[in-house]
Amino acid sequence: MIEHFTPREIEAMRPAGEFVAGVLATLESEVRVGTNLLDIDRRAHELIRERGATSCYIDYHPSFGASPFGHVICTSVNDAVLHGLPHDYKLRNGDLLSIDFAVSVDGWVADSARSFIVGERRDPADQAVIDTTVAALDAAIAVARAGNKLGDISAAIGAIAHRDGYTVNTQFGGHGVGRTMHGEPHVPNDGRAGRGMRLKPGLVIAIEPWLMRGTDAIFTDPDGWTLRSQDGSRGAHSEHTIAITQGDPIVLTARPD
């Protein structure tokens, strides 16, 4: 079922969005060459406890996961592009790290992700795929307006990706958000403008373009969670939770100033 929320309910979602955005900013500022992925997870867990929030990940066990996730954040490194299960790995100079984080605050969920390069060694192709996911997310948010169609969001993402020479995997994409992390509708990362459901005020969705440098094919790691590119190429992931209104969309997980 697709839910629509009142303006008062959307206002009540703001603290969750602000907390998620703040945690991601904190983690990005603290990550260094040599940081262990398990330490990132522990730090995120500490911040959750301090806020009195509830992780959306730790007991999450969808059909595509081998077992309950068991951690509070996804840490995807290099050719790991989604659902990266934190493990004993120390980040190296030049690693491309994507972190994806979702929590519930006072019963309302927010979900966001960002990618960045660790250290000083920066491959321009890594930065390019990060920049394209950010541009695709911005383009999608720009058309996430009442009266437009869901396909307009998907088409905006796909147009940026194809413009920059990437192919798009549509197995995983955006989704409805509200009292739970994953709800209807599914928001593919490619599609045709003017198709799909009409966007109405009160719809809250996570929009999350993710791309890989050399392929659109993925496989699941032996850990049962981490999704990697078939050809070993690196990928990036950008995500915001937004609310459709009578005017401009509200980016609930906007980065803090």
Side-chain angles (χ1 to χ4, degrees):
M1 180 181 71
I2 296 174
E3 293 188 88
H4 290 81
F5 300 96
T6 67
R8 179 175 294 182
E9 288 173 322
I10 291 171
E11 284 300 308
M13 296 177 188
R14 284 187 185 272
E18 291 168 357
F19 175 68
V20 166
V23 168
L24 289 178
T26 296
L27 294 174
E28 182 173 353
S29 71
E30 293 177 352
V31 164
R32 301 285 187 273
V33 173
T35 298
N36 195 302
L37 298 183
L38 293 174
D39 289 334
I40 297 174
D41 183 66
R42 279 190 283 267
R43 178 65 169 136
H45 210 157
E46 177 184 74
L47 294 169
I48 289 171
R49 286 194 299 268
E50 289 176 357
R51 180 60 177 80
T54 302
S55 171
C56 293
Y57 289 167
I58 197 161
D59 295 321
Y60 186 52
H61 189 188
S63 59
F64 57 81
S67 60
F69 190 73
H71 295 271
V72 301
I73 194 165
C74 295
T75 53
S76 303
V77 182
N78 297 333
D79 64 319
V81 291
L82 286 179
H83 308 160
L85 193 69
H87 60 283
D88 185 14
Y89 174 81
K90 292 182 179 180
L91 290 162
R92 301 170 183 172
N93 194 13
D95 277 346
L96 197 170
L97 174 64
S98 300
I99 49 177
D100 191 351
F101 186 61
V103 300
S104 173
V105 174
D106 300 325
W108 297 106
V109 170
D111 188 5
S112 186
R114 65 177 65 178
S115 297
F116 56 94
I117 298 170
V118 179
E120 301 301 322
R121 184 182 301 152
R122 295 175 175 268
D123 185 333
D126 286 348
Q127 191 60 55
V129 71
I130 293 171
D131 291 346
T132 296
T133 64
V134 172
L137 180 57
D138 289 343
I141 293 170
V143 298
R145 304 180 68 89
N148 287 346
K149 297 290 188 70
L150 190 66
D152 296 330
I153 294 175
S154 299
I157 295 170
I160 296 296
H162 297 308
R163 179 200 71 186
D164 291 352
Y166 301 101
T167 56
V168 180
N169 180 298
T170 56
Q171 290 172 258
F172 295 91
H175 49 88
V177 179
R179 292 286 188 182
T180 60
M181 177 173 59
H182 284 150
E184 295 295 330
H186 173 62
V187 187
N189 285 329
D190 201 2
R192 296 179 63 182
R195 297 293 184 92
M197 62 173 280
R198 190 171 298 280
L199 303 176
K200 297 179 181 179
L203 180 69
V204 179
I205 53 175
I207 302 174
E208 50 179 316
W210 59 279
L211 297 167
M212 297 169 286
R213 283 171 43 179
T215 184
D216 59 10
I218 54 176
F219 71 95
T220 305
D221 238 11
D223 67 17
W225 273 100
T226 304
L227 298 179
R228 295 186 182 274
S229 64
Q230 285 278 15
D231 64 355
S233 61
R234 296 181 172 195
H237 180 197
S238 296
E239 178 182 17
H240 275 312
T241 297
I242 70 145
I244 308 295
T245 73
Q246 294 284 3
D248 294 334
I250 298 171
V251 182
L252 294 166
T253 52
R255 293 189 178 201
D257 293 332

